[in-house]
């Protein structure tokens, strides 16, 4: 266990223990103190000074003396002393008495403050230990922020402060980049800073869930909602990362709270609600569906209230238009069709299946995203790096409380008891709050219906379900008030929940690295900080060294290099396969950093006469994770490559279904998709050659067919398309060739013959002009016109 964790654990336990101990001591003394009789009335002795006045010289009165009586000071009775102000009841120190008084005055605020402290402590403790990976999708935000700072707000030499940034082929980064600018400027690049900024924003939902329970549901023990959110495994894991999905949940929490304030307290809260709604939209692409659906439902459900405050609504629409300007600029300047994004996701909405089947699939995914089976029990749906071992996305022990909260909320929504006007108004406000929570619950699974349910897409579900779980927990605690005092229930509930959070934290830090022991590309993608830190050491130590870093161990390995390396441009990013599949320069000062799989492939081939391991970096379980090696080619390497090239370019033979008939086809070696994909009539399936360029495909038709042109979907590429038409076997071909530049919005290359030609066989050649020797040729569809 790390020293930092022990420190935080000790502080948290001390705070909770001190709180409980003081209250127990006070209660104990109150119960066992000896009754004291009321003190007798104090008799105050007064010192009196009598001063004789002037003589009375009235002859009718005679001579006399007029006394003057002056009260000088009171004197306490010697038999009883008044309490001294410096002492406290029963001898308890003044500080303890003050703390007790504060507890009695505002116990909820104290426990809420402790809950937020515990939340932050368990987010930051061991931040580099768990999650023990640092993903390229976390590093990219800081890398882009650094580039914006370097180029004074101009991104990639084109756009000033762009609305969206690309991650791979998709424009899906926005707010997550901008929040990293100031921290990067002040502290530079580090995992602690990048993740820490994200953690600080998660204080919004940590506070919002409790404040909603307090301010709008009017429930005691409201601080328990913060602790319950801390106990959600899916949130515990992701709130310690810099994934943009976390930011979208945080912004949605702010929207929930301020919209409730708009409806129940102050119409002017509409404006911060709109700000948080817009930030939710910009934070994460899947969250756009959540906030848009949420907004439309609220627009319809609360239309009477909107009309009542129509002036605020009009100003809100103007404010919303201003908030939408960055998105409008993006749509007007960047071609990024939604269809392409759905295609990248592999969405079933773009397939050719019947509409009824799509709707059925949508309903299935939607209810799966709401099901306890997905949320409360381990599932095989989410990637291992997005799960906490055998934990469900939400602790299964909290399911009964969630169900109780669901029942209470539904009963409140469906029934409004007739009481006094004041009570009716309060109950109506609680009804509206529950309705808002249920809307948030029901829109949360929508992003998972686009392709498939995944925790990063449906993470907003944790907000409403945490509030409902808190309602169930609070109802249970209030039922126990029949037998147990309120103060003991409060401290007991806090201690139990805090203990669960501390146990979850310790379990993650100690056992998390071993829950799933596939650490490579298909699993946890471990090693960014470790291997890149060692590369920095190599570059600092050796004057003449060239590092070749594998790309086969993590998504976004190039962004990880830009994040961690002092000089990222001193490192070449390449797989060992680039040395196996073709002959490259491999001098002695080349050091290759290989994964275990690459190392085994290098050993299995006969192309290297020596492979010298200089260093290994282990995985958390002790097995080798990365090999730093120097290699040398075999003496007959030229002969080996010549033989392989001849064999590799030999065309394969097969049959396909094309135009309703069986057609013989010859095609190159493929590493992606069967050859039938190029002739199935669908533009969302493809084939890819196995580093063979050009791609040659020969079709032999069962009978001559009239052809007047050919179209080939090759995506965005610069190609040379050559078509040879053979009217009959053995005849001279008619050839057409053309250089074509295709784009994302026009991915299809077309050659029109200008005449109709009878074809018995057809030979197509697709040559990539930008990578003529070892390029992968992608073909989505071939059509005869």
């Amino acid at each position: 266990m790390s020293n930092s964790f022990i420190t935080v654990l000790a502080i948290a336990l001390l705070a909770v223990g001190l709180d409980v101990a003081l209250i127990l001591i006070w209660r104990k003394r109150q119960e066992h103190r000896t009754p004291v009789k009321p003190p007798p009335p104090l008799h105050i002795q007064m010192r009196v000074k009598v001063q004789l006045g002037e003589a009375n010289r009235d002859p009718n009165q005679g001579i006399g003396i007029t006394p003057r009586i002056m009260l000088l000071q009171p004197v306490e009775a010697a038999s009883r002393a008044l309490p001294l102000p410096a002492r406290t009841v029963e001898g308890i120190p003044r500080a303890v008495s003050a703390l007790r008084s504060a507890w009695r005055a505002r116990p909820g605020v104290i426990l809420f403050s402790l809950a937020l402290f515990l939340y932050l402590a368990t987010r930051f403790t061991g931040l580099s230990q768990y999650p023990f990976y640092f993903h390229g999708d976390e590093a990219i935000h800081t890398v882009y922020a650094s580039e914006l700072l370097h180029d004074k707000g101009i991104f990639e030499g084109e756009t000033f402060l762009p609305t969206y940034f690309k991650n791979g082929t998709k424009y899906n980064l926005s707010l997550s980049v901008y929040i990293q600018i100031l921290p990067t400027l002040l502290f530079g690049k580090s995992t602690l800073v990048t993740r820490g900024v994200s953690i600080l924003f998660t204080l919004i939902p940590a506070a919002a869930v409790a404040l909603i329970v307090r301010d709008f549901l009017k429930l005691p023990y409201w601080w328990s909602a913060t602790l319950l959110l801390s106990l959600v495994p899916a949130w515990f894991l992701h709130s310690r990362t810099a994934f943009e999905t976390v930011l979208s949940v945080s912004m949605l929490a702010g929207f929930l709270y301020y919209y409730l304030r708009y409806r129940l307290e102050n119409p002017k809260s509409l404006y911060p609600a709109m700000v948080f709604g817009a930030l939710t939209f910009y934070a994460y692409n899947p969250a756009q569906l959540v906030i848009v659906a949420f907004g439309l439902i609220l627009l319809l459900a609360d239309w009477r209230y909107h009309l009542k405050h129509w002036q605020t609504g009009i100003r809100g629409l103007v404010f919303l238009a201003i908030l939408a300007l960055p998105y409008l600029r993006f749509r007007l300047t960047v071609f990024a069709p939604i269809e392409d994004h759905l295609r990248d996701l592999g969405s079933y909405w773009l397939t050719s299946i019947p509409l009824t089947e799509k709707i059925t699939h949508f309903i299935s995914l939607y209810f799966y995203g709401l099901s306890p089976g997905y949320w409360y029990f381990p599932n095989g749906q989410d990637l291992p790096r997005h799960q906490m071992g055998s934990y469900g996305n939400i602790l299964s022990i909290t399911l009964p409380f969630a169900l109780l909260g669901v029942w209470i909320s539904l009963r409140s929504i469906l029934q409004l008891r007739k009481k006094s006007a004041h009570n009716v108004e309060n109950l109506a406000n609680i009804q509206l709050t529950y309705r808002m929570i249920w809307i948030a619950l029901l829109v949360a699974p929508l992003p998972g219906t686009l392709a498939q349910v995944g925790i990063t897409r449906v993470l907003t579900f944790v907000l409403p379900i945490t509030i409902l779980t808190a309602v169930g927990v609070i109802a249970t605690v209030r039922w126990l008030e029949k037998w147990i005092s309120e103060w003991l229930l409060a401290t007991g509930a806090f201690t139990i929940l805090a203990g669960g959070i501390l146990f979850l934290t310790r379990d993650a830090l100690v056992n998390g690295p071993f829950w799933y022991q596939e650490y490579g590309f298909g699993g946890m993608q471990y090693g960014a900080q470790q291997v890149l830190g060692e590369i920095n050491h190599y570059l600092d130590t050796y004057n003449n060294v060239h590092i070749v870093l594998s790309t086969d161990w993590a998504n976004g390995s190039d962004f990880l290099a830009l994040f961690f390396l002092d000089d990222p441009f001193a490192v070449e990013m390449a797989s060992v396969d680039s040395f196996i599949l073709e002959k490259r320069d491999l001098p002695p000062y080349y050091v290759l950093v290989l994964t275990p799989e690459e190392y085994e492939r290098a050993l299995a081939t006969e192309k290297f006469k020596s492979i010298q391991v200089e260093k290994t970096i282990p995985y958390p379980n002790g097995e080798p994770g990365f090999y730093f090696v120097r290699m040398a080619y075999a003496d007959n390497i030229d002969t080996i490559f010549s033989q392989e090239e001849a064999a590799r370019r030999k065309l394969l033979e097969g049959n396909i279904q094309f135009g309703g008939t069986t057609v013989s086809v010859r095609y190159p070696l493929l590493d992606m998709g069967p050859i039938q994909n190029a002739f199935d009539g669908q533009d969302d399936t493809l084939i890819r050659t196995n580093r063979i360029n050009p791609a040659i495909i020969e079709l032999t038709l069962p009978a001559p067919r009239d052809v007047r042109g050919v179209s080939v979907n090759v995506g965005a590429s610069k190609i040379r398309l050559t078509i040879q038409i053979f009217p009959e076997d053995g005849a001279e071909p008619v050839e057409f060739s053309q250089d074509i530049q295709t784009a994302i919005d026009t991915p299809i290359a077309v050659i029109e013959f200008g005449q109709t030609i009878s074809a018995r066989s057809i030979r197509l050649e697709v040559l990539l002009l930008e990578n003529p020797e070892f390029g992968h040729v992608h073909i989505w569809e071939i059509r005869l016109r």
Side-chain angles (χ1 to χ4, degrees), residues 361-370 441-443 445-446 449 453:
H361 197 47
F362 168 84
I363 295 173
S364 174
L365 288 173
Y366 178 79
F367 283 103
Y368 181 61
L370 287 174
L441 189 83
L442 294 175
V443 299
L446 289 178
T449 62
V453 174

Side-chain angles (χ1 to χ4, degrees), residues 449-598:
T449 62
L450 295 178
Q452 60 181 359
V453 174
I455 187 60
T456 56
R457 296 172 185 167
V458 298
L459 191 59
T460 56
F461 183 86
V462 301
L463 293 175
I465 201 63
T466 295
I467 296 173
L468 293 177
T469 304
V471 170
V473 169
I474 292 168
T476 304
V477 174
R478 296 183 74 179
W479 176 73
L480 292 174
E481 288 178 353
K482 299 177 182 178
W483 301 279
I484 306 173
S485 62
E486 182 179 346
W487 65 266
L488 187 58
L489 283 173
T491 53
F494 187 96
T495 303
I496 291 172
L497 293 174
I501 296 168
L502 293 173
F503 175 83
L504 186 67
T505 304
R506 181 188 183 280
D507 198 21
L509 295 181
V510 175
N511 301 314
F514 312 107
W515 282 333
Y516 188 80
Q517 299 191 32
E518 172 54 57
Y519 299 106
F521 188 87
M524 308 308 293
Q525 300 190 4
Y526 168 84
Q529 190 165 359
Q530 292 76 12
V531 71
L532 293 167
E534 184 60 31
I535 289 176
N536 273 328
H537 175 71
Y538 256 79
L539 295 174
D540 292 339
T541 304
Y542 300 99
N543 293 327
N544 187 21
V545 65
H546 181 82
I547 302 292
V548 181
L549 175 62
S550 169
T551 57
D552 292 353
W553 56 282
N555 287 321
S557 55
D558 50 343
F559 288 105
L560 291 171
L562 290 168
F563 186 94
F564 284 105
L565 294 180
D566 298 332
D567 183 8
F569 302 104
V571 175
E572 178 184 351
M573 307 292 293
S575 168
V576 72
D577 293 333
S578 64
F579 293 86
I580 295 176
L581 296 176
E582 61 178 303
K583 184 181 177 182
R584 295 185 50 189
D585 290 336
L586 194 56
Y589 59 84
Y590 268 45
V591 175
L592 280 70
V593 183
L594 309 179
T595 65
E597 295 78 14
E598 289 178 307

